[in-house]
C-alpha cells in the first residue's frame, strides 16, 4: 500500500527535525541531521542549509511494515507557501507540527484552512515538550478552540489489541453503534481502530500526539501507530492518471514529479500535448537527492520522469480534467534589474525555466520597455531567487522594490464591438460584457448561432479571450470578474485568415471597456489577530487606519480575537509592528482573500499613469475597408459601422 504524508508547520516549529527522526526510525537514513549543523537529509539545497529554513518541498521514502510511505517536508515560511500548496494536493495525509511553547501560530492556521479546503486527513504533533514554557494542555485547548472540537489527544501508543478506555469512550460518544457496545462492555480494540481510521479519513477525528523531535521523544511511538491509523485505496486496473506537482532540472535534464492517481505507468508510455506526443524515457524513485530507476510505478506512488518537456505543474496526465486553480497567489510584483553582458532575452529564457519550476512567479515580459517582471509572495522570496540565479546560472540579478498587483473590472453592462478588415482580411465580433461576482474571474457564454458564425470560429473567439491577460483602461492591469457572452460574429469565406479573430476579439473587448464604468481592484487579506485585552484599542485603531474592516471582537478574560479584511498594500508589513507592541505574545494570521475595490484608486491611477492610447498590445478602434484600403474607426463610432447589425 502506497501512502503520501506531508509535514507542515509554522517556521521554526521543528518540522524538518521531525522528518529526520521519521526517516531515521524507518531506516531510510543512517544518521540524523540537524538544521543548525546544516546537514539535514531533505533540506539538501545550499540555500536552505545556509538560511536554516525549508524552501523546496522534498520527499523521502519510508517502509513501515508492508506499506511504502512518501514523506514530503514542506516550506514553513509564508513566502514559499505556493510550494507547500502544490505538495498538499498530492498528500493522502498531513501532519501539522505545533510548538508546545509558541502554540498555534499565524501560518499554522493558514495551513489548517488549506488542508480543510483540500480535504486532507490531518494529524497534529505537539513538539518541543521538553522546552521551558511548554504547556501541552494549553495547546490542546487552543487547537480544540481554533481548529476543531474533534482533536483527540493520544498520549499512549495504540496497538491492534489495545486501546485506552478514554479513546473508546470518545469514539462511542460520536457513533450510536459503538455507544451501545461501549455501554455493554463489548467494544473491542479492533472495532475502535477501524472506526478511528474511518473518522480520520472523513475528517471527523484529528489525532494529536506529543513529543520532542530534537530529543527523539515520542517519535518511535508515532511511527508505530501510522499503519493502524492510515489507509489508502487506488484503482490499479484503471487507465493511468497522474498529477504533476513539481518540476526540477538535473543539469540539462527536465524532471517531472508526478503522483500516480490510478493505473500503472511504464517507461516508453507516451502522452499527447496538443499535436505533440512525448514519451517517458526514465522513471525515478527519489529519496532526498538519491534515486533508484524503475520500469513501472503503480497508483499511489510518487516519482519523477524524464522525457516530458511540455507537462506543466497542476496537469493531470492521462485525463481531460482541467486542473483546479491554486488558492495561494502572489500579491506583489517586482522588476528584474540586470546590467550584465547577456542579452535581456537570454535572461528571459532563464526566468521562463524558473517559472516552470515555480509557476506562481508568473514571469511577465514587457516588450515595449524590454523589461522582465515577476510575481512574488514576499521579499524573502526575492532574496532566495537572487541566490538561485547566482548559484545556478552565475547571474548577478537584483530586483526593484516590490509593487502591489492590481486588477480591474467593470461595474456596468455593455456590448463590445470589434471589426478587423484590412485588405484581404475579415473578422467581426460582438461581445456582451457584464460584471461577474467578485472572485469569479472571467467566464464565457456562447449565444452565437452556427448560421452566423461557424463553430470553429466561435471556439477561436473563446480561445483568444482566455489565452492571455487583457489590459484594463485605468492602469493597464489585468481585467477580471467579467462574464463574456458571444452574441454574434462574421467571417469571410475567402479573406478571413489566421489571427483575424484575435484582432477582432481584442478590439471588441477593449471597445466594451471604453463604454463601461471601470473599477480598480486591489488584493485583500483576511486577518485574525489574537492578543491581550490591553491591546484591543490599538488593534482596532490600526485596522481602521489601514482602511480595513473588522467583525465584532471576541473577548475572553485574558485575550481578544479580532477578524476582518484589510488591503494588502496597507497591512503587508504590519506583522513587525504587531509583534513589537504585543512583545511577541500576540498572534497574527494573514490569508489572501481575493480582490476588492481599491481603497485609494485615484492615487494609484495617477501613480501608474497608464496611457491607454499608447498601449502597443491593445486598441479600441476597428479597421474597415473601402476602395481597397483599410481605415480606422474610433471606438465611439464603431457600433454604427458594424456589418452584423
Amino acid at each position: 500500500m502506497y501512502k503520501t504524508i506531508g509535514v507542515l508547520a509554522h517556521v521554526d516549529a521543528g518540522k524538518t527535525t521531525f522528518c529526520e527522526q521519521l526517516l531515521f526510525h524507518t531506516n531510510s537514513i543512517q544518521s540524523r541531521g540537524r538544521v543548525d549543523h546544516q546537514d539535514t537529509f531533505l533540506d539538501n539545497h545550499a540555500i536552505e542549509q545556509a538560511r536554516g529554513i525549508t524552501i523546496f518541498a522534498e520527499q523521502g521514502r519510508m517502509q513501515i511494515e508492508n506499506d511504502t510511505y512518501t514523506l514530503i517536508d514542506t516550506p514553513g515560511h509564508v513566502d514559499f507557501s505556493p510550494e507547500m500548496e502544490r505538495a498538499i494536493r498530492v498528500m493522502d495525509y498531513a501532519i501539522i507540527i505545533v510548538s508546545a511553547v509558541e502554540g498555534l501560530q499565524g501560518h499554522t492556521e493558514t495551513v489548517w484552512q488549506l488542508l480543510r479546503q483540500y480535504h486532507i486527513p490531518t494529524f497534529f504533533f505537539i513538539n518541543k515538550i521538553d522546552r521551558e514554557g511548554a504547556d501541552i494542555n494549553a495547546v490542546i485547548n487552543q487547537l480544540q478552540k481554533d481548529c476543531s472540537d474533534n482533536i483527540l489527544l493520544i498520549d499512549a501508543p495504540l496497538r491492534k489489541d489495545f486501546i485506552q478506555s478514554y479513546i473508546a469512550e470518545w469514539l462511542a460518544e460520536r457513533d450510536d453503534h459503538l455507544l451501545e457496545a461501549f455501554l455493554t462492555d463489548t467494544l473491542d480494540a479492533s472495532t475502535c481502530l477501524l472506526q478511528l481510521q474511518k473518522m480520520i479519513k472523513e475528517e471527523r477525528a484529528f489525532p494529536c500526539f506529543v513529543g520532542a523531535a530534537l530529543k527523539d521523544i515520542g517519535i518511535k511511538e508515532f511511527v508505530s501507530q501510522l499503519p493502524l491509523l492510515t489507509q489508502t485505496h487506488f484503482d490499479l486496473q484503471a487507465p493511468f492518471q497522474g498529477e504533476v506537482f513539481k518540476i526540477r532540472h538535473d543539469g540539462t535534464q527536465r524532471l517531472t514529479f508526478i503522483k500516480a492517481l490510478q493505473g500503472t505507468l511504464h517507461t516508453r508510455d507516451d502522452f499527447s500535448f496538443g499535436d505533440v506526443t512525448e514519451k517517458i524515457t526514465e522513471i525515478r524513485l527519489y529519496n532526498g537527492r538519491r534515486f533508484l530507476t524503475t520500469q513501472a510505478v503503480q497508483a499511489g506512488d510518487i516519482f519523477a520522469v524524464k522525457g516530458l518537456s511540455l507537462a506543466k505543474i497542476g496537469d493531470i496526465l492521462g485525463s481531460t480534467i482541467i486542473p483546479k486553480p491554486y488558492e495561494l497567489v502572489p500579491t506583489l510584483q517586482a522588476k528584474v534589474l540586470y546590467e550584465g553582458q547577456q542579452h535581456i532575452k537570454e535572461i528571459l529564457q532563464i526566468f521562463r525555466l524558473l517559472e516552470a519550476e515555480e509557476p506562481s512567479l508568473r514571469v511577465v515580459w514587457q516588450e515595449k520597455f524590454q523589461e522582465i517582471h515577476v510575481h512574488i509572495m514576499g521579499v524573502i522570496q526575492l532574496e532566495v531567487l537572487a541566490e538561485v540565479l547566482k548559484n545556478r546560472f552565475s547571474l548577478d540579478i537584483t530586483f526593484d522594490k516590490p509593487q502591489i498587483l492590481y486588477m480591474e473590472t467593470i461595474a456596468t453592462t455593455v456590448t463590445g464591438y470589434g471589426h478587423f478588415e484590412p485588405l484581404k482580411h475579415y473578422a467581426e465580433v460582438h461581445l456582451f460584457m457584464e460584471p461577474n461576482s467578485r472572485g469569479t474571474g472571467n467566464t464565457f457564454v456562447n449565444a452565437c448561432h452556427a448560421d452566423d458564425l461557424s463553430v470553429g470560429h466561435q471556439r477561436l473567439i473563446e480561445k483568444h479571450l482566455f489565452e492571455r491577460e487583457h489590459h484594463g483602461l485605468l492602469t493597464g492591469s489585468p481585467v477580471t470578474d467579467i462574464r463574456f457572452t458571444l452574441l454574434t460574429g462574421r467571417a469571410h469565406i475567402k479573406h478571413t485568415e489566421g489571427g483575424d479573430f484575435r484582432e477582432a476579439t481584442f478590439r471588441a473587448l477593449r471597445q466594451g471597456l471604453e463604454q463601461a464604468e471601470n473599477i480598480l481592484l486591489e488584493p485583500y487579506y483576511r486577518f485574525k489577530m489574537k492578543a491581550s485585552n490591553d491591546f484591543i484599542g490599538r488593534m482596532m485603531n490600526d485596522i481602521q487606519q489601514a482602511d480595513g474592516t473588522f467583525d465584532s471582537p471576541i473577548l475572553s478574560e485574558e485575550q481578544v480575537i479580532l477578524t476582518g479584511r484589510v488591503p494588502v498594500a496597507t497591512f503587508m508589513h504590519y506583522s513587525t509592528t504587531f509583534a513589537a507592541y504585543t512583545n511577541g505574545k500576540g498572534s497574527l494570521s494573514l490569508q489572501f482573500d481575493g480582490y476588492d475595490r481599491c481603497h485609494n484608486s485615484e492615487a494609484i491611477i495617477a501613480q501608474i499613469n497608464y496611457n491607454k492610447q499608447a498601449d502597443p498590445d491593445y486598441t479600441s478602434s476597428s479597421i474597415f475597408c473601402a476602395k481597397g484600403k483599410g481605415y480606422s474607426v474610433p471606438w465611439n463610432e464603431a457600433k454604427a459601422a458594424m456589418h452584423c447589425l
Side-chain angles (χ1 to χ4, degrees), residues 16-119:
T16 299
T17 305
F18 178 83
C19 290
E20 292 288 309
Q21 294 287 9
L22 288 189
L23 292 168
F24 177 78
H25 283 293
T26 54
N27 299 315
S28 293
I29 58 177
Q30 300 304 309
S31 61
R32 293 164 281 203
R34 287 180 51 153
V35 174
D36 53 345
H37 293 173
Q38 300 184 3
D39 61 354
T40 53
F41 184 69
L42 294 181
D43 281 355
N44 49 45
H45 294 260
I47 298 172
E48 294 178 308
Q49 293 170 351
R51 288 178 172 265
I53 60 172
T54 301
I55 297 171
F56 308 101
E58 298 294 348
Q59 68 263 16
R61 289 176 73 86
M62 310 183 300
Q63 196 73 27
I64 306 176
E65 296 182 0
N66 296 321
D67 298 333
T68 299
Y69 291 78
T70 298
L71 180 71
I72 303 181
D73 183 17
T74 64
H77 198 286
V78 66
D79 280 22
F80 310 106
S81 50
E83 177 94 353
M84 174 197 70
E85 182 182 4
R86 292 191 292 273
I88 284 176
R89 293 203 353 184
V90 298
M91 293 176 187
D92 300 314
Y93 292 87
I95 306 164
I96 297 179
I97 309 297
V98 181
S99 169
V101 180
E102 286 82 15
L104 195 63
Q105 296 169 276
H107 188 57
T108 320
E109 295 195 39
T110 302
V111 167
W112 168 257
Q113 294 300 331
L114 206 55
L115 290 170
R116 301 288 61 77
Q117 289 179 46
Y118 285 111
H119 300 291

Side-chain angles (χ1 to χ4, degrees), residues 125 342 439 510 556 636:
F125 187 90
Q342 289 182 250
R510 191 76 162 190
S556 63
N636 54 337

Side-chain angles (χ1 to χ4, degrees), residues 122-282:
T122 304
F123 301 101
F124 286 92
F125 187 90
I126 300 176
N127 193 26
K128 303 183 180 181
I129 63 170
D130 59 318
R131 298 282 183 88
E132 184 178 347
D135 191 338
I136 296 172
N137 290 331
V139 176
I140 292 290
N141 291 334
Q142 191 179 25
L143 292 174
Q144 290 174 335
K145 180 181 179 182
D146 294 340
C147 293
S148 172
D149 293 334
N150 294 320
I151 302 290
L152 171 62
L153 177 62
I154 299 178
D155 55 8
L158 304 173
R159 300 197 308 266
K160 291 180 180 179
D161 58 351
F162 170 76
I163 192 168
Q164 297 95 318
S165 60
Y166 79 89
I167 295 178
E169 183 178 356
W170 190 90
L171 293 168
E173 289 173 352
R174 289 159 174 77
D175 187 275
D176 292 339
H177 298 293
L178 294 188
L179 180 60
E180 184 177 344
F182 178 78
L183 294 174
T184 57
D185 203 26
T186 57
L187 184 58
D188 58 54
S190 60
T191 303
C192 285
L193 284 172
L194 285 173
Q195 179 65 13
L196 180 55
Q197 191 182 89
K198 178 183 177 185
M199 291 176 68
I200 293 169
K201 193 72 174 174
E202 295 174 351
E203 300 174 82
R204 294 189 292 126
F206 303 97
C208 181
F209 304 84
V210 301
L214 193 60
K215 297 290 182 64
D216 198 10
I217 301 171
I219 307 296
K220 191 181 297 185
E221 292 79 2
F222 177 79
V223 170
S224 69
Q225 296 171 88
L226 275 179
L228 299 176
L229 300 175
T230 59
Q231 190 173 32
T232 55
H233 299 282
F234 297 98
D235 187 350
L236 300 179
Q237 306 306 316
F240 175 81
Q241 286 185 10
E243 179 167 353
V244 177
F245 73 98
K246 183 168 67 172
I247 289 172
R248 294 288 184 265
H249 288 83
D250 180 11
T252 58
Q253 295 285 338
R254 189 180 197 256
L255 295 172
T256 304
F257 286 78
I258 301 168
K259 165 72 175 283
L261 305 176
Q262 64 179 43
T264 302
L265 178 73
H266 301 84
T267 52
R268 313 308 296 171
D269 285 353
D270 53 44
F271 296 95
S272 296
F273 301 91
D275 298 330
V276 180
T277 299
E278 296 188 323
K279 195 179 295 289
I280 302 295
T281 58
E282 183 177 308

Side-chain angles (χ1 to χ4, degrees), residues 560-571:
V560 60
I561 298 176
L562 210 55
T563 58
R565 298 181 83 228
V566 66
V568 170
T570 60
F571 224 62

